[in-house]
Amino acid sequence: MASHIVGYPRMGPKRELKFALESFWDGKSGAEDLEKVAADLRVSIWKQMADAGIQYIPSNTFAYYDQVLDITAMLGAVPPRYSWSGDEIGFDTYFSMARGNASVPAMELTKWFDTNYHFIVPELGPDVKFSYASHKAVNEYKEAKAIGVDTVPVLIGPVTYLLLSKPAKGVQKTFPLLSLLDKILPIYKEVISELKAAGASWIQFDEPTLVMDLESHQLEAFTKAYSELESTLSGLEVLVETYFADIPGDAFKTLTSLKGVTAFGFDLVRGTKTLDLIKSGYPAGKYLFAGVVDGRNIWANDLDASLITLKSLEGIVGTDKLVVSTSCSLLHTAVDLVNEPKLDTEIKSWLAFAAQKVVEVNALAKALTGQKDEAFFSANAAAQASKKSSPRVTNEAVQKAAAALKGSDHRRATDVSARLDAQQKKLNLPILPTTTIGSFPQTIELRRVRREYKAKKISEEEYVKSIKEEINKVVKLQEELDIDVLVHGEPERNDMVEYFGEQLSGFAFTANGWVQSYGSRCVKPPIIYGDVSRPKPMTVFWSTAAQSVTKRPMKGMLTGPVTILNWSFVRNDQPRFETCYQIALAIKDEVEDLEKAGITVIQIDEAALREGLPLRKAEHAFYLDWAVHSFRITNVGVQDTTQIHTHMCYSNFNDIIQSIIDMDADVITIENSRSDEKLLSVFREGVKYGAGIGPGVYDIHSPRIPSTEEIADRINKMLAVLETNILWVNPDCGLKTRKYTEVKPALQNMVAACKLLRAQLASSK
């Protein structure tokens, strides 16, 4: 019985790649230094999987930014603004596409399906001259082979690549991207031919768009693509991998009929209904890669249950054609539990990070061949039983409070227009009020202070003094810049979700459970293992301290329940919406305490609300109902004069605009500039938005500083579709990843643009 891993985390157990990337971007190290760190990590990963007994080990899943951008580089699909010379794509062009540079902006960044991972959206059109411009896939295969590891090279499949792309600027929005299939397949053929020549015996195409609601012409594109590739693929075993959801029946039929394909991979964790399709008819002689080990969560696999599933599949496809696999890439999990010596022993026994999941996959494969590790399975069963019976998981008071939520939709009593009038009388803001999203740059000194406080190297008094000094600095800067509604900069927080989870019951935390979000950006998701409640206030002290040093409105900054849920590793023993309602009640307590403390503007970020939208349309309504309801629960009890903000970023929001309206926030700030202002199209199409709204005027994930004129132009585009009295002016997102040398001039230009337009609007009356 064989074993397979779809993909593996690439940052390294101690975030080695993150630090190497940032050193390279800052000019502190060269390309050779970065390449060496990356090569060492790749070799370590391949050897680890080989030593664990994995037969089908992936290569080319290691990206310097993201795997979709790698395919864009492979195809030479570089937008003209980057002035690419046409040679093999190097770091300058690659990172300019990802991050922008001093003269041109980055490409759009958006969420990878319903995960917190991001990818760079390809910009395509009829005039793109595709060429084989990056040999990374072949080079990495050869690199692994040189150390004695024969890998399965992985490519994003050609149809998924096109379906994830967008028409380039200047290209009609209705341009059929799938019409480019004939232009990119010759390059795929070149890559396949080189891999075959290098000795590859397997190749893996990731086609996760097959789990989505596809139209007939989109499904036909898969048939066309693999028919065209069939002769080139001859002599190779070909795996087409799907993940993240059930595969629809028509897509299953299309997939299992593809020419030249000898193996199919399925997510059997999030796609349990796919089992019924497999049992009702699986093509004879084809491999089945059964994704029974969860690649998106950190709970130990229920090995006994998985073994039952695998044995039923073995009866369908045969022992020699069944391969035990992960449900998707392990990119979405933390790296290794070995790096967590301080984690609670009982909770730790319930967990499996990427390294442990590799062991689970191999243990299941061996068990199917009669080599069951009885001790390993026994320890796993004991951990499963412990998790089900542990008293620390259940809090009856919390469950009773959540159950009592049924029967109310938790709407504020007054409509938003009346609330905005009451708030304006109290806040007295100018037209086009300016604000930022929450965080300010996290300096080396600030990180040192937090680190030393956690390590008990400085006293609480010293820590509070340092954080207050940072808050004062941030407040003073915003006043000097003449920003209207201020933030305290969040100097006490390393991560917006981790900070709240540390203060809520039912959460556990890791020391090194980092997961890549995009580029060098890593997050450390909390682990929700039990019922959630708020033992005491979490932000009131810092918010009131910040408000005390300014007469301008100071936002209280909270993370919303849906975002805390979607950016955590969530318990798998109850429905997600039940956990979300518990978090909502905890945040509600905090909102009401902030209001009592005199904070009149409270931002409840729901950056990840769109991210959690299920991939299938039939499941959208149920998710949006409980997600939006959870947000409304948090602020249903505040006065009309208390202004509730929310923030969303880096997703496609146009298809959920009615749900965003239904959240009933007073003001929403929302990413707009990096996605080429496609958010505004929904308002051009006639959607009426009555609450305050601040579409971002510049991209904070790029070091580029926008000019006053550029920002003014963006605001004018917004004024063409939105009423002046509801428009706010703000960056796309928080500023923690930027440097002050970038933040100060960018905000200066933002405020200058705003004042310019205020003057123009006043003179036109």
Side-chain angles (χ1 to χ4, degrees):
M1 185 66 59
S3 52
H4 166 251
I5 305 297
V6 176
Y8 201 81
R10 55 181 82 117
M11 279 290 118
K14 296 181 180 177
R15 293 181 291 161
E16 292 90 340
L17 183 60
K18 167 190 171 66
F19 299 122
L21 283 166
E22 292 173 354
S23 177
F24 175 73
W25 293 336
D26 290 344
K28 296 176 182 176
S29 60
E32 287 184 3
D33 301 302
L34 175 57
E35 287 168 346
K36 184 179 186 310
V37 170
D40 288 346
L41 284 170
R42 286 194 297 268
V43 168
S44 172
I45 290 166
W46 291 327
K47 285 184 174 179
Q48 177 188 345
M49 284 193 260
D51 291 345
I54 302 298
Q55 283 82 15
Y56 300 121
I57 297 170
S59 61
N60 198 42
T61 59
F62 190 100
Y64 285 99
Y65 209 90
D66 93 81
Q67 67 268 34
V68 180
L69 184 60
D70 284 359
I71 299 297
T72 295
M74 183 185 88
L75 298 172
V78 181
R81 65 181 178 274
Y82 299 108
S83 303
W84 173 51
S85 65
D87 298 330
E88 180 85 4
I89 289 176
F91 285 151
D92 284 351
T93 300
Y94 183 87
F95 288 129
S96 289
M97 289 192 286
R99 306 177 72 240
N101 57 43
S103 57
V104 291
M107 294 166 71
E108 181 183 350
L109 182 76
T110 197
K111 296 290 174 73
W112 176 246
F113 295 84
D114 58 347
T115 75
N116 187 31
Y117 181 73
H118 301 65
F119 72 96
I120 302 294
V121 182
E123 302 173 13
L124 305 178
D127 299 327
V128 176
K129 306 296 184 198
F130 295 100
S131 63
Y132 187 11
S134 170
H135 292 67
K136 176 178 173 292
V138 178
N139 292 340
E140 284 193 17
Y141 173 78
K142 290 178 177 177
E143 182 183 23
K145 194 170 183 182
I147 62 165
V149 181
D150 189 18
T151 60
V152 178
V154 179
L155 300 173
I156 300 290
V159 183
T160 287
Y161 177 78
L162 292 177
L163 290 176
L164 294 178
S165 302
K166 70 174 185 179
K169 203 164 188 176
V171 175
Q172 287 286 332
K173 298 300 179 189
T174 56
F175 174 73
L177 292 160
L178 288 174
S179 67
L180 299 173
L181 199 55
D182 289 335
K183 293 186 177 182
I184 69 171
L185 288 178
I187 297 157
Y188 272 87
K189 288 180 180 180
E190 285 189 71
V191 178
I192 294 164
S193 296
E194 285 195 8
L195 287 168
K196 284 169 70 174
S201 56
W202 277 84
I203 188 168
Q204 174 180 321
F205 294 101
D206 282 6
E207 296 279 16
T209 51
L210 276 164
V211 305
M212 303 182 77
D213 297 308
L214 300 180
E215 297 175 13
S216 57
H217 76 280
Q218 293 170 320
L219 289 174
E220 287 164 8
F222 288 94
T223 302
K224 176 184 176 181
Y226 287 90
S227 294
E228 180 65 28
L229 292 174
E230 183 182 13
S231 60
T232 310
L233 290 168
S234 178
L236 286 173
E237 299 285 6
V238 180
L239 166 64
V240 173
E241 185 68 54
T242 68
Y243 37 77
F244 296 152
D246 282 302
I247 184 166
D250 53 354
F252 180 82
K253 185 176 180 181
T254 297
L255 171 63
T256 54
S257 302
L258 293 179
K259 292 184 177 179
V261 178
T262 56
F264 310 105
F266 301 102
D267 182 338
L268 300 181
V269 176
R270 290 186 172 232
T272 52
K273 294 176 185 174
T274 301
L275 280 169
D276 295 331
L277 293 173
I278 295 169
K279 290 173 182 176
S280 64
Y282 195 79
K286 303 287 187 179
Y287 288 92
L288 170 59
F289 282 62
V292 294
V293 173
D294 194 349
R296 285 185 59 174
N297 216 329
I298 43 66
W299 304 108
N301 187 269
D302 185 338
L303 296 177
D304 289 334
S306 292
L307 200 54
I308 291 169
T309 298
L310 290 166
K311 285 181 177 177
S312 70
L313 294 173
E314 187 179 27
I316 297 167
V317 301
T319 303
D320 61 331
K321 296 297 182 183
L322 182 62
V323 180
V324 182
S325 184
T326 53
S327 64
C328 62
S329 174
L330 297 176
L331 173 70
H332 310 287
T333 66
V335 178
D336 196 339
L337 269 175
V338 168
N339 300 318
E340 304 300 334
K342 295 181 181 178
L343 191 60
D344 178 277
T345 306
E346 182 183 31
I347 293 174
K348 192 172 182 179
S349 74
W350 303 342
L351 307 179
F353 290 180
Q356 288 69 47
K357 289 177 186 292
V358 169
V359 174
E360 289 179 339
V361 166
N362 195 54
L364 286 165
K366 290 175 72 175
L368 281 169
T369 60
Q371 302 174 65
K372 184 177 180 182
D373 185 334
E374 295 293 351
F376 187 70
F377 271 71
S378 178
N380 175 266
Q384 298 294 324
S386 162
K387 183 164 168 272
K388 287 176 183 176
S389 62
S390 176
R392 67 200 306 175
V393 171
T394 306
N395 182 322
E396 288 186 13
V398 170
Q399 292 190 351
K400 189 177 290 186
L405 294 170
K406 293 172 183 174
S408 171
D409 63 3
H410 295 89
R411 292 183 183 275
R412 292 169 77 178
T414 312
D415 69 39
V416 68
S417 59
R419 298 198 309 262
L420 288 174
D421 287 343
Q423 292 155 15
Q424 179 58 16
K425 286 176 185 175
K426 187 167 188 174
L427 298 172
N428 193 29
L429 298 172
I431 60 167
L432 307 181
T434 54
T435 190
T436 63
I437 305 306
S439 61
F440 264 65
Q442 300 266 311
T443 63
I444 293 172
E445 173 63 17
L446 183 55
R447 293 179 190 278
R448 181 193 64 77
V449 167
R450 285 202 306 262
R451 188 170 58 248
E452 290 188 352
Y453 178 59
K454 274 199 167 185
K456 299 183 178 178
K457 292 182 179 178
I458 61 173
S459 68
E460 183 173 1
E461 185 180 350
E462 290 172 302
Y463 172 72
V464 169
K465 181 174 180 288
S466 295
I467 297 299
K468 281 187 173 181
E469 286 173 356
E470 184 70 18
I471 289 172
N472 292 346
K473 183 177 79 173
V474 169
V475 171
K476 184 180 178 184
L477 171 62
Q478 291 171 93
E479 289 181 328
E480 289 171 353
L481 291 168
D482 204 16
I483 290 172
D484 300 304
V485 176
L486 310 189
V487 298
H488 75 291
E490 304 176 7
E492 79 283 15
R493 308 176 194 182
N494 178 63
D495 176 86
M496 59 189 285
V497 174
E498 182 182 8
Y499 175 80
F500 289 98
E502 284 179 337
Q503 301 181 77
L504 295 169
S505 64
F507 282 75
F509 293 87
T510 63
N512 294 292
W514 298 99
V515 178
Q516 185 182 19
S517 180
Y518 62 86
S520 69
R521 169 80 172 136
C522 296
V523 294
K524 197 164 54 169
I527 298 165
I528 306 177
Y529 67 84
D531 291 333
V532 177
S533 62
R534 186 199 72 147
K536 61 182 181 180
M538 302 179 286
T539 65
V540 175
F541 176 80
W542 298 117
S543 292
T544 52
Q547 184 65 82
S548 71
V549 296
T550 182
K551 292 181 180 179
R552 301 189 185 208
M554 174 64 62
K555 285 197 278 192
M557 299 300 305
L558 306 175
T559 302
V562 185
T563 296
I564 290 177
L565 183 89
N566 286 335
W567 286 357
S568 298
F569 290 125
V570 182
R571 59 190 293 189
N572 58 1
D573 60 343
Q574 70 177 16
R576 289 172 70 87
F577 70 85
E578 290 187 13
T579 303
C580 198
Y581 285 155
Q582 293 177 2
I583 302 170
L585 287 171
I587 300 300
K588 180 177 184 289
D589 291 343
E590 187 71 13
V591 168
E592 292 172 0
D593 279 348
L594 282 168
E595 185 183 55
K596 288 173 189 172
I599 303 299
T600 56
V601 181
I602 302 171
Q603 181 169 309
I604 308 165
D605 284 348
E606 284 296 13
L609 188 140
R610 173 60 176 79
E611 172 188 311
L613 191 70
L615 300 179
R616 305 284 286 284
K617 290 175 183 175
E619 300 168 15
H620 286 189
F622 178 67
Y623 167 79
L624 289 169
D625 179 66
W626 64 255
V628 169
H629 188 190
S630 295
F631 176 81
R632 290 201 306 262
I633 288 167
T634 65
N635 59 88
V636 66
V638 300
Q639 300 173 31
D640 288 354
T641 50
T642 297
Q643 190 167 83
I644 299 296
H645 288 223
T646 190
H647 171 67
M648 294 181 175
C649 56
Y650 300 101
S651 288
N652 180 10
F653 302 106
N654 294 26
D655 56 350
I656 64 162
I657 191 66
Q658 292 302 329
S659 294
I660 292 173
I661 293 170
D662 200 36
M663 291 170 72
D664 199 28
D666 297 311
V667 178
I668 180 171
T669 53
I670 196 163
E671 179 270 326
N672 168 68
S673 59
R674 181 148 185 178
S675 58
D676 202 22
E677 299 167 343
K678 66 183 177 186
L679 170 70
L680 299 185
S681 66
V682 78
F683 302 112
R684 294 189 192 102
E685 292 161 8
V687 170
K688 298 299 180 186
Y689 195 80
I693 184 168
V697 296
Y698 78 91
D699 174 27
I700 62 84
H701 286 114
S702 170
R704 182 175 169 273
I705 298 165
S707 66
T708 298
E709 294 73 22
E710 180 183 331
I711 294 174
D713 180 59
R714 285 194 188 279
I715 298 171
N716 273 321
K717 288 178 181 176
M718 296 170 192
L719 288 170
V721 294
L722 293 165
E723 297 294 330
T724 307
N725 65 329
I726 66 169
L727 186 62
W728 285 64
V729 177
N730 45 263
D732 264 354
C733 204
L735 304 170
K736 70 185 295 181
T737 61
R738 302 267 54 89
K739 299 181 177 69
Y740 273 105
T741 52
E742 299 158 350
V743 165
K744 288 179 184 178
L747 291 179
Q748 203 165 27
N749 292 348
M750 183 185 84
V751 173
C754 209
K755 289 181 175 179
L756 176 69
L757 290 174
R758 285 174 188 161
Q760 290 176 0
L761 288 167
S763 64
S764 66
K765 286 184 179 178

